[in-house]
Amino acid sequence: MAAEAWRPGRAALSIAAGALVVASGVLAAGGFAEADPRNAATAATAAAATAAADTQTLPFPVGYSRWTHIKSGLINPGHAAYARFGGLHHIYANATALDGYRSGRFADGSVLVYDLFEATDKGDATIDQGPRRHIDVMVKDSARFAATGGWGYAEFAAGERRDRLRTAQRDGCAACHASQKDNDQVFSRWREDSALEPAPAQQD
């Protein structure tokens, strides 16, 4: 998953599979019966340990809405990716990533953000931006993320600041983005009719 990986691929399948595994685990443990507090405590401890051991997590991109806006798009019902990425999305790039859009090669330190919202039909032939669904992030670090094409991937649920992806899901994002290897794993493109200006100074 990725920052703008709205296209269907292994990322969506990996997340769906992960949800199925979690749901199956709950049912197998008797999810509708009264839970044993000791089991709950053990599960919480294991989850915390798993999160702590995941060295691929990324921080929330504070201030990204003040970066350069690259493009917006709308994914409507009927699209194969609608369940996962349906709605109105905006893509933002930090200053380092702008040179990547121009050259097709993104330097370490490039950050892309895919900000997804529900699309609200107002009933008067207009579509408005609704509640946020989630935020996807791509960060270029060739050494740290060598196994996934030099990019790290993260996803933040609406209102959350903790990366919720796990290794298998990130691998799915990377596999999907690999189809764009000629553009350094990035789906969105530089528009020649756009005069992108440098992003303002980033403040965290």
Side-chain angles (χ1 to χ4, degrees):
M1 126 67 95
E4 76 280 16
W6 52 263
R7 303 187 183 189
R10 296 183 187 176
L13 294 176
S14 296
I15 292 172
L20 180 59
V21 169
V22 172
S24 298
V26 170
L27 292 175
F32 291 103
E34 183 175 354
D36 185 332
R38 292 170 298 179
N39 292 339
T42 300
T45 300
T50 299
D54 189 347
T55 60
Q56 304 299 297
T57 57
L58 295 172
F60 186 86
V62 176
Y64 70 87
S65 62
R66 298 192 297 274
W67 299 355
T68 298
H69 171 253
I70 299 299
K71 62 170 290 186
S72 294
L74 179 65
I75 299 178
N76 285 317
H79 191 283
Y82 180 77
R84 182 80 181 90
F85 295 102
L88 177 65
H89 64 263
H90 309 292
I91 297 175
Y92 299 91
N94 69 354
T96 303
L98 291 185
D99 286 335
Y101 274 107
R102 295 184 177 98
S103 67
R105 288 293 175 267
F106 293 79
D108 284 359
S110 295
V111 183
L112 305 178
V113 174
Y114 178 97
D115 199 1
L116 178 63
F117 297 83
E118 293 179 14
T120 303
D121 187 341
K122 299 185 69 176
D124 57 356
T126 62
I127 300 294
D128 201 2
Q129 179 173 295
R132 176 175 281 112
R133 294 191 63 189
H134 56 79
I135 297 168
D136 288 359
V137 180
M138 292 175 65
V139 174
K140 185 67 176 290
D141 186 327
S142 300
R144 183 182 178 192
F145 304 117
T148 51
W151 288 95
Y153 299 88
E155 184 171 276
F156 302 88
E160 298 293 328
R161 295 293 182 100
R162 177 178 294 181
D163 180 1
R164 67 181 180 182
L165 294 187
R166 292 294 174 257
T167 300
Q169 296 164 344
R170 293 191 191 92
D171 288 345
C173 293
C176 183
H177 279 265
S179 66
Q180 303 301 308
K181 62 181 180 180
D182 290 341
N183 196 52
D184 202 0
Q185 323 295 323
V186 176
F187 280 99
S188 54
R189 297 291 190 271
W190 168 270
R191 287 181 49 188
E192 293 299 334
D193 61 343
S194 297
L196 293 184
E197 299 177 355
Q202 297 171 23
Q203 300 176 1
D204 293 337

